Amino acid sequence: MYKSPCSRLSGLIGASLKQKLLQNVPRCNYSTRTIIKLYRRDPSDRLTYQHLNFLKRQYVTKNRNGLRQRAVPKQQPVVTILEEAEDAVERQVQRIPTIGPEQEELSAEAKPKVSSVDPLTRDAVKPEASSEVGTTEEAPHIQEETELSKVARLDRQWKELKVELSDLPDVYARLAKIKLTALVVTTAAAGYAMAPVPFDPLIFFVSSLGTFLASCTANSINQYFEVPFDSNMNRTKNRPLARGQISPLHAVSFAVACGVPGIALLTLAVNPLTGFLGALNIVLYTCFYTPLKRLSICNTWVGAVVGAIPPVMGWTAATGALDPGALLLGAFLFSWQFPHFNALSWNLREDYSRGGYRMMSVTHPAMCQRVALRHSVGLIGLSAVAPVVDLTTWTFPIISLPINLYISFLAFRFYRKGDRNSARKLFFCSLWHLPMLLLLALTCKKPRPRQDSSTPDSTPVLV
């Protein structure tokens, strides 16, 4: 008694499904035939999702960990002569009378000349003036390029430059990113000065020189790996390797000539711990930070660790040990780099995107603003920790509070607005904030405890 309604319902559903399938069969056959024809036309071209009806807008496919654009190029419309010609030429063509073959020689001089230039290049050629039209334009001609204009055109194009011996210091300075290297040496010197030990000028000079050479090595190898990407960015297209001023072998030789003596100085003349930190910084910068720039936004955190190591190297060069004060100085540099670099990269998003770098400002702009604000506020907390670890006196958190509040305020504006103006102000503030913060920490350095003359470490007095 209950089977009849159920069988009717199933019959109705089956009939409707069958009808829909029969309606879709011609469409499916058409799609299949289209795909087969496309494959037979060009068997070397792999089938992509854009050949299917429901994924026609998928123009980019991923093959072997690379993105390939599979969109069909737009065909250029066929342009006729009259479409590209000016109005004067059109009227001129309309006024030409029909000339028979017997009158060609007689009317050759009176016939207006019509340019036989390619329609696509007609805009660059001006038509001849006609007495009937009443214009004063010159006759069509193809301008010949002079030798001077050819030299000027070639100078504007990319070409390999020949470098004189006197230009090598400037090339080496740009290869080593001399401004960034100077900042690294300055932070390392600040770490040495903040250490609670007597100041030794010789060790200070040797550690600064070794840090300088290690930074030159890291920056040179970084540019060696990024030559094809630097040439696509306006900010880096004039680097020595991107312009071809020096060969890659020359750049690697310069890096080795700086790195080997630099690490040797830090290890043998200072202490092995400082040499290990210098070698670790080179490896982190070249083998981790550089490739991560094209893979993940984690590169910013790895780069912050690289920037935080130099003050720790200065501290270990003076004391030979890793103390809480050294780690706090590294934390200052770690947090400072986020408002500094995030603000810098915000106005360079187009360049980074063109170079294929995965920066926070390109892929995660909201996170870029949040992280800059978070670490700017974190500088206030780190300043309060400095007296706790006996790095500074309690006056340091108080006198450093205005500059920390100001950079936090600019970071908050950058977080709220996210425009170029707020990013630019935050970046320029970070340029003077770090030297001022280190200088205040040095002035508020906790005095070193005096050693008693009775202690065995004191120098014996000779009578």
Side-chain angles (χ1 to χ4, degrees), residues 250-268:
H250 192 166
V252 173
S253 302
F254 172 76
V256 173
C258 291
V260 172
I263 300 302
L265 279 176
L266 293 176
T267 305
L268 302 177

Side-chain angles (χ1 to χ4, degrees), residues 283-451:
V283 173
L284 284 177
Y285 192 74
T286 57
C287 300
F288 290 89
Y289 171 70
T290 300
L292 276 176
K293 288 167 68 175
R294 300 181 58 80
L295 298 177
S296 172
I297 61 172
C298 296
N299 67 82
T300 308
W301 280 267
V302 177
V305 172
V306 173
I309 290 180
V312 181
M313 292 174 59
W315 183 286
T316 57
T319 63
L322 276 174
D323 300 320
L327 299 180
L328 182 61
L329 287 175
F332 273 118
L333 266 295
F334 181 84
S335 293
W336 171 84
Q337 287 178 90
F338 286 96
H340 171 76
F341 181 74
N342 288 12
L344 170 66
S345 63
W346 188 266
N347 291 335
L348 298 174
R349 286 177 293 176
E350 294 82 2
D351 250 8
Y352 282 122
S353 179
R354 193 181 303 113
Y357 294 120
R358 297 184 63 83
M359 299 298 177
M360 271 192 292
S361 58
V362 178
T363 59
H364 299 75
M367 181 186 294
C368 177
Q369 298 166 263
R370 288 196 308 269
V371 171
L373 175 61
R374 186 182 307 150
H375 285 273
S376 298
V377 177
L379 291 172
I380 303 176
L382 291 175
S383 301
V385 177
V388 178
V389 297
D390 293 334
L391 182 65
T392 63
T393 60
W394 284 99
T395 56
F396 173 69
I398 299 174
I399 64 175
S400 64
L401 185 60
I403 62 174
N404 288 335
L405 286 177
Y406 184 66
I407 194 173
S408 300
F409 168 70
L410 293 180
F412 179 73
R413 288 184 57 183
F414 173 61
Y415 170 74
R416 292 295 300 272
K417 295 184 178 180
D419 56 353
R420 292 181 175 271
N421 188 28
S422 59
R424 190 180 301 109
K425 288 183 178 179
L426 178 60
F427 170 72
F428 284 113
C429 174
S430 67
L431 293 180
W432 60 260
H433 176 271
L434 180 64
M436 184 66 68
L437 187 68
L438 295 177
L439 183 61
L440 292 176
L442 187 60
T443 56
C444 298
K445 176 185 175 181
K446 197 164 186 178
R448 182 169 51 90
R450 295 181 180 180
Q451 292 183 352

Side-chain angles (χ1 to χ4, degrees), residues 104-139:
E104 277 187 346
E105 297 181 358
L106 297 177
S107 60
E109 298 179 356
K111 184 175 67 173
K113 298 180 181 179
V114 180
S115 175
S116 61
V117 186
D118 189 7
L120 297 178
T121 60
R122 181 177 290 273
D123 291 339
V125 182
K126 294 185 178 180
E128 181 188 6
S130 174
S131 59
E132 298 178 358
V133 180
T135 60
T136 59
E137 298 177 353
E138 298 179 358

Side-chain angles (χ1 to χ4, degrees), residues 47-166:
L47 295 178
T48 59
Y49 290 124
Q50 69 170 351
H51 298 146
L52 303 179
N53 290 332
F54 60 92
L55 287 175
K56 278 186 176 180
R57 296 184 180 180
Q58 186 74 18
Y59 290 108
V60 178
T61 58
K62 187 174 183 182
N63 295 327
R64 294 182 181 179
N65 296 327
L67 294 178
R68 294 185 59 193
Q69 187 173 355
R70 309 291 297 177
V72 179
K74 183 179 178 181
Q75 296 182 357
Q76 296 182 356
V78 180
V79 182
T80 60
I81 296 178
L82 292 179
E83 288 177 350
E84 288 290 323
E86 298 180 357
D87 295 339
V89 179
E90 293 180 8
R91 291 194 299 270
Q92 197 173 17
V93 172
Q94 292 174 0
R95 296 191 180 194
I96 296 176
T98 304
I99 301 176
E102 65 278 359
Q103 299 176 348
E104 277 187 346
E105 297 181 358
L106 297 177
S107 60
E109 298 179 356
K111 184 175 67 173
K113 298 180 181 179
V114 180
S115 175
S116 61
V117 186
D118 189 7
L120 297 178
T121 60
R122 181 177 290 273
D123 291 339
V125 182
K126 294 185 178 180
E128 181 188 6
S130 174
S131 59
E132 298 178 358
V133 180
T135 60
T136 59
E137 298 177 353
E138 298 179 358
H141 62 281
I142 299 177
Q143 298 181 355
E144 295 183 359
E145 188 177 23
T146 61
E147 190 67 26
L148 293 177
S149 60
K150 182 179 180 180
V151 171
R153 178 175 59 83
L154 293 177
D155 285 340
R156 290 193 299 268
Q157 295 179 358
W158 185 94
K159 61 179 181 180
E160 186 175 355
L161 300 178
K162 294 182 179 180
V163 181
E164 302 293 337
L165 189 61
S166 59

